[in-house]
Coordinates of all heavy atoms in Angstrom, one line a residue:
W1 N -135.2 93.7 -3.5 CA -136.0 92.4 -4.1 C -136.3 92.6 -5.6 O -136.1 91.6 -6.4 CB -137.3 92.2 -3.2 CG -137.0 91.4 -2.1 CD1 -136.9 91.8 -0.8 CD2 -136.9 90.0 -1.9 NE1 -136.8 90.9 0.0 CE2 -136.8 89.6 -0.5 CE3 -136.9 88.8 -2.9 CZ2 -136.6 88.4 -0.1 CZ3 -136.7 87.6 -2.4 CH2 -136.5 87.4 -1.0
N2 N -136.7 93.9 -6.0 CA -137.1 94.1 -7.3 C -135.8 94.2 -8.2 O -135.8 93.6 -9.3 CB -137.7 95.5 -7.5 CG -138.2 95.8 -8.8 OD1 -139.0 95.1 -9.4 ND2 -137.7 96.9 -9.4
D3 N -134.8 94.6 -7.8 CA -133.4 94.8 -8.5 C -133.0 93.3 -8.7 O -132.6 92.9 -9.8 CB -132.3 95.6 -7.8 CG -132.7 96.9 -7.9 OD1 -133.4 97.4 -8.9 OD2 -132.1 97.8 -7.1
L4 N -133.1 92.5 -7.6 CA -132.6 91.1 -7.7 C -133.5 90.3 -8.8 O -133.0 89.5 -9.4 CB -132.7 90.5 -6.3 CG -132.2 89.1 -6.1 CD1 -130.6 89.1 -6.3 CD2 -132.4 88.7 -4.6
F5 N -134.8 90.5 -8.6 CA -135.6 89.9 -9.6 C -135.4 90.1 -11.0 O -135.4 89.3 -12.0 CB -137.2 90.2 -9.2 CG -138.2 89.8 -10.2 CD1 -138.6 88.4 -10.2 CD2 -138.6 90.7 -11.2 CE1 -139.4 87.9 -11.1 CE2 -139.5 90.0 -12.2 CZ -139.9 88.6 -12.2
L6 N -135.1 91.5 -11.3 CA -134.8 91.8 -12.7 C -133.4 91.2 -13.1 O -133.4 90.7 -14.3 CB -134.7 93.4 -12.9 CG -136.0 94.1 -12.7 CD1 -135.9 95.5 -12.5 CD2 -137.0 93.6 -13.7
M7 N -132.5 91.2 -12.1 CA -131.3 90.6 -12.6 C -131.3 89.1 -12.8 O -130.9 88.6 -13.9 CB -130.2 90.9 -11.5 CG -128.8 90.2 -11.8 SD -127.6 90.3 -10.5 CE -128.2 88.9 -9.4
T8 N -132.0 88.4 -12.0 CA -132.1 87.0 -12.0 C -133.0 86.5 -13.3 O -132.8 85.5 -13.7 CB -132.5 86.3 -10.7 OG1 -133.8 86.8 -10.3 CG2 -131.5 86.5 -9.7
K9 N -134.0 87.3 -13.4 CA -134.9 87.0 -14.6 C -134.1 87.0 -15.9 O -134.3 86.0 -16.7 CB -136.1 88.0 -14.6 CG -137.2 87.7 -15.8 CD -138.1 88.8 -15.7 CE -139.1 88.6 -16.9 NZ -140.0 89.6 -17.0
H10 N -133.2 87.9 -16.1 CA -132.4 88.1 -17.3 C -131.5 86.7 -17.3 O -131.3 86.0 -18.3 CB -131.6 89.2 -17.3 CG -130.8 89.5 -18.4 ND1 -131.3 90.0 -19.6 CD2 -129.4 89.1 -18.7 CE1 -130.3 90.0 -20.4 NE2 -129.2 89.6 -20.0
A11 N -130.9 86.3 -16.3 CA -130.1 85.1 -16.2 C -130.9 83.9 -16.5 O -130.5 83.0 -17.3 CB -129.3 85.0 -14.9
E12 N -132.1 83.8 -16.0 CA -132.9 82.5 -16.1 C -133.3 82.5 -17.5 O -133.5 81.3 -18.0 CB -134.1 82.7 -15.1 CG -133.7 82.5 -13.7 CD -134.7 82.7 -12.7 OE1 -135.9 83.2 -13.1 OE2 -134.6 82.6 -11.4
M13 N -133.6 83.6 -18.2 CA -134.1 83.6 -19.6 C -133.0 82.8 -20.5 O -133.3 82.2 -21.6 CB -134.4 84.9 -20.1 CG -135.7 85.3 -19.6 SD -136.5 86.9 -20.1 CE -135.2 87.8 -21.0
E14 N -131.7 83.1 -20.1 CA -130.6 82.6 -21.0 C -130.2 81.1 -20.6 O -129.4 80.4 -21.2 CB -129.3 83.5 -20.8 CG -129.5 84.7 -21.4 CD -128.2 85.5 -21.4 OE1 -127.2 85.0 -21.0 OE2 -128.3 86.7 -21.8
D15 N -130.6 80.6 -19.4 CA -130.4 79.3 -18.8 C -131.1 78.3 -19.5 O -132.4 78.2 -19.7 CB -130.6 79.2 -17.4 CG -130.2 78.1 -16.6 OD1 -129.5 77.3 -17.3 OD2 -130.6 77.9 -15.5
T16 N -130.5 77.3 -20.1 CA -131.0 76.2 -20.9 C -131.0 74.9 -20.1 O -131.7 73.9 -20.5 CB -130.4 76.1 -22.2 OG1 -129.0 75.7 -21.9 CG2 -130.6 77.2 -23.2
D17 N -130.2 74.9 -19.0 CA -130.1 73.6 -18.1 C -131.0 73.8 -16.9 O -130.6 74.3 -15.9 CB -128.6 73.5 -17.8 CG -128.4 72.2 -17.0 OD1 -129.3 71.5 -16.8 OD2 -127.3 72.1 -16.3
H18 N -132.1 73.2 -17.0 CA -133.0 73.3 -15.9 C -133.0 72.2 -15.0 O -133.8 72.0 -14.0 CB -134.4 73.5 -16.5 CG -134.7 74.6 -17.5 ND1 -134.7 76.0 -17.1 CD2 -134.8 74.7 -18.7 CE1 -134.8 76.7 -18.1 NE2 -134.9 76.0 -19.2
E19 N -132.1 71.2 -15.2 CA -132.0 70.0 -14.4 C -130.9 70.2 -13.2 O -131.0 69.7 -12.2 CB -131.5 68.9 -15.3 CG -132.5 68.4 -16.3 CD -133.9 68.0 -15.8 OE1 -134.0 67.2 -14.8 OE2 -135.0 68.5 -16.2
T20 N -130.0 71.1 -13.5 CA -128.8 71.3 -12.7 C -129.1 72.5 -11.7 O -129.7 73.3 -12.0 CB -127.5 71.7 -13.3 OG1 -127.3 70.7 -14.3 CG2 -126.4 71.8 -12.4
R21 N -128.8 72.2 -10.3 CA -128.9 73.3 -9.5 C -127.5 73.3 -8.6 O -127.0 72.4 -8.3 CB -130.0 72.8 -8.5 CG -130.2 73.9 -7.3 CD -131.4 74.0 -6.7 NE -131.4 74.7 -5.5 CZ -132.6 75.2 -4.8 NH1 -133.6 74.6 -5.2 NH2 -132.4 76.0 -3.8
L22 N -127.1 74.6 -8.5 CA -125.8 74.7 -7.8 C -125.9 74.9 -6.5 O -125.2 74.4 -5.6 CB -125.1 76.1 -8.4 CG -124.9 76.0 -9.9 CD1 -124.3 77.4 -10.3 CD2 -123.9 74.9 -10.2
L23 N -126.9 75.6 -5.9 CA -127.3 75.9 -4.5 C -127.8 74.5 -3.8 O -128.8 74.0 -4.4 CB -128.0 77.0 -4.2 CG -127.5 78.5 -4.4 CD1 -128.6 79.5 -4.4 CD2 -126.6 78.7 -3.3
P24 N -127.3 74.3 -2.7 CA -128.0 73.1 -1.9 C -129.5 73.5 -1.6 O -129.8 74.6 -1.3 CB -127.2 72.8 -0.8 CG -126.5 74.1 -0.5 CD -126.3 74.8 -1.9
V25 N -130.4 72.4 -1.5 CA -131.7 72.7 -1.1 C -131.7 72.8 0.4 O -131.1 71.9 1.0 CB -132.6 71.6 -1.7 CG1 -133.9 71.8 -1.1 CG2 -132.6 71.4 -3.2
I26 N -132.3 73.8 1.0 CA -132.2 74.0 2.3 C -133.7 74.0 2.8 O -134.5 74.9 2.4 CB -131.6 75.3 2.8 CG1 -130.1 75.2 2.5 CG2 -131.6 75.4 4.3 CD1 -129.3 76.4 2.8
S27 N -134.1 73.0 3.6 CA -135.6 73.0 4.0 C -136.0 74.1 4.8 O -135.1 74.8 5.5 CB -135.8 71.7 4.7 OG -135.3 71.6 6.0
E28 N -137.2 74.3 5.1 CA -137.8 75.4 5.9 C -137.3 75.1 7.4 O -137.0 76.0 8.1 CB -139.4 75.4 5.8 CG -139.9 76.7 5.6 CD -141.3 76.7 5.7 OE1 -142.0 76.1 4.6 OE2 -141.9 77.0 6.6
V29 N -137.2 73.9 7.7 CA -136.7 73.5 9.1 C -135.3 73.9 9.3 O -134.9 74.5 10.2 CB -137.0 72.1 9.5 CG1 -136.4 71.5 10.8 CG2 -138.5 71.6 9.4
M30 N -134.5 73.5 8.2 CA -133.1 73.8 8.4 C -132.8 75.4 8.3 O -131.9 75.9 8.9 CB -132.3 73.3 7.1 CG -132.1 71.8 7.3 SD -131.0 70.9 6.2 CE -132.0 70.9 4.7
L31 N -133.6 76.2 7.5 CA -133.5 77.6 7.6 C -133.8 78.3 9.0 O -133.3 79.3 9.1 CB -134.5 78.2 6.6 CG -134.2 78.1 5.1 CD1 -135.4 78.6 4.1 CD2 -132.9 78.8 4.8
K32 N -134.4 77.6 9.9 CA -134.6 78.1 11.2 C -133.5 77.6 12.1 O -133.5 78.3 13.4 CB -135.9 77.5 11.7 CG -137.2 78.0 10.8 CD -137.3 79.5 10.7 CE -138.4 79.9 9.7 NZ -138.3 81.2 9.1
E33 N -132.5 76.8 11.7 CA -131.5 76.5 12.7 C -130.6 77.6 13.0 O -130.5 78.4 12.1 CB -130.8 75.3 12.0 CG -131.4 73.9 11.9 CD -130.7 72.9 11.2 OE1 -129.5 73.1 10.9 OE2 -131.2 71.8 11.1
E34 N -130.0 77.6 14.1 CA -129.3 78.8 14.6 C -128.1 79.2 13.6 O -127.8 80.3 13.4 CB -128.8 78.3 16.0 CG -128.2 79.7 16.5 CD -127.7 79.4 18.1 OE1 -128.3 78.5 18.6 OE2 -126.7 80.1 18.4
N35 N -127.4 78.3 13.1 CA -126.2 78.6 12.4 C -126.4 78.7 10.9 O -125.5 79.1 10.1 CB -125.1 77.5 12.5 CG -125.4 76.2 12.0 OD1 -126.5 75.9 11.6 ND2 -124.5 75.3 11.9
T36 N -127.7 78.5 10.3 CA -127.9 78.5 9.0 C -127.7 79.9 8.3 O -127.2 80.1 7.2 CB -129.3 78.1 8.7 OG1 -129.5 76.8 9.2 CG2 -129.5 78.1 7.0
C37 N -127.9 81.1 9.1 CA -127.6 82.4 8.6 C -126.1 82.5 8.2 O -125.8 83.0 7.1 CB -128.1 83.5 9.6 SG -127.7 85.2 9.1
C38 N -125.2 82.0 9.0 CA -123.9 82.2 8.9 C -123.4 81.3 7.6 O -122.5 81.6 6.9 CB -123.0 82.0 10.1 SG -123.2 83.3 11.4
V39 N -124.0 80.2 7.6 CA -123.7 79.3 6.5 C -124.1 80.0 5.1 O -123.3 79.9 4.3 CB -124.4 77.9 6.7 CG1 -124.2 77.1 5.3 CG2 -123.8 77.2 7.8
N40 N -125.2 80.5 5.1 CA -125.7 81.2 3.9 C -124.7 82.5 3.7 O -124.5 82.8 2.6 CB -127.2 81.6 3.9 CG -128.1 80.4 3.9 OD1 -127.8 79.5 3.2 ND2 -129.0 80.5 4.7
A41 N -124.3 83.1 4.7 CA -123.4 84.2 4.6 C -122.1 83.8 4.0 O -121.6 84.5 3.2 CB -123.1 84.8 5.9
M42 N -121.6 82.6 4.3 CA -120.4 82.1 3.7 C -120.6 81.8 2.2 O -119.7 82.1 1.4 CB -119.9 80.8 4.5 CG -119.4 81.0 5.8 SD -118.1 82.1 6.0 CE -118.7 83.4 6.9
I43 N -121.7 81.4 1.8 CA -122.0 81.2 0.4 C -122.2 82.5 -0.3 O -121.6 82.6 -1.4 CB -123.4 80.3 0.2 CG1 -123.1 78.8 0.8 CG2 -123.7 80.3 -1.3 CD1 -124.4 78.0 0.9
L44 N -122.8 83.5 0.4 CA -122.8 84.9 -0.1 C -121.4 85.4 -0.3 O -121.1 86.1 -1.4 CB -123.5 85.8 0.9 CG -123.6 87.1 0.5 CD1 -124.2 87.4 -0.9 CD2 -124.4 88.0 1.6
N45 N -120.4 85.2 0.6 CA -119.1 85.6 0.4 C -118.5 85.0 -0.9 O -117.8 85.7 -1.6 CB -118.2 85.3 1.6 CG -118.7 86.2 2.8 OD1 -119.2 87.2 2.6 ND2 -118.4 85.7 4.0
Y46 N -118.7 83.8 -1.1 CA -118.3 83.1 -2.3 C -118.8 83.6 -3.5 O -118.1 84.0 -4.5 CB -118.6 81.6 -2.3 CG -117.9 80.7 -3.2 CD1 -116.6 80.3 -3.1 CD2 -118.5 80.6 -4.6 CE1 -115.9 79.5 -4.1 CE2 -117.9 79.9 -5.6 CZ -116.7 79.2 -5.3 OH -115.9 78.7 -6.3

């Protein structure tokens, strides 16, 4: 988590487009659905 925070903090400091989001928004309810882990794993593979 710490390494990830340091890496993403650096990227966020260079990001000037705060309106665009690449990852889809996944609600708390959807995160608990059975297949959501594998869906996120496919995005991780990408």
Side-chain angles (χ1 to χ4, degrees):
W1 277 100
N2 188 54
D3 289 339
L4 188 62
F5 174 77
L6 293 171
M7 180 190 79
T8 57
K9 181 180 176 187
H10 182 81
E12 289 168 359
M13 289 184 345
E14 291 186 10
D15 185 10
T16 57
D17 179 9
H18 304 291
E19 301 298 316
T20 305
R21 180 163 170 168
L22 302 173
L23 283 170
V25 175
I26 301 178
S27 71
E28 230 179 283
V29 172
M30 286 190 280
L31 284 172
K32 302 301 178 201
E33 291 176 3
E34 189 175 332
N35 69 349
T36 304
C37 177
C38 289
V39 170
N40 290 324
M42 292 300 113
I43 295 174
L44 174 60
N45 290 337
Y46 189 91

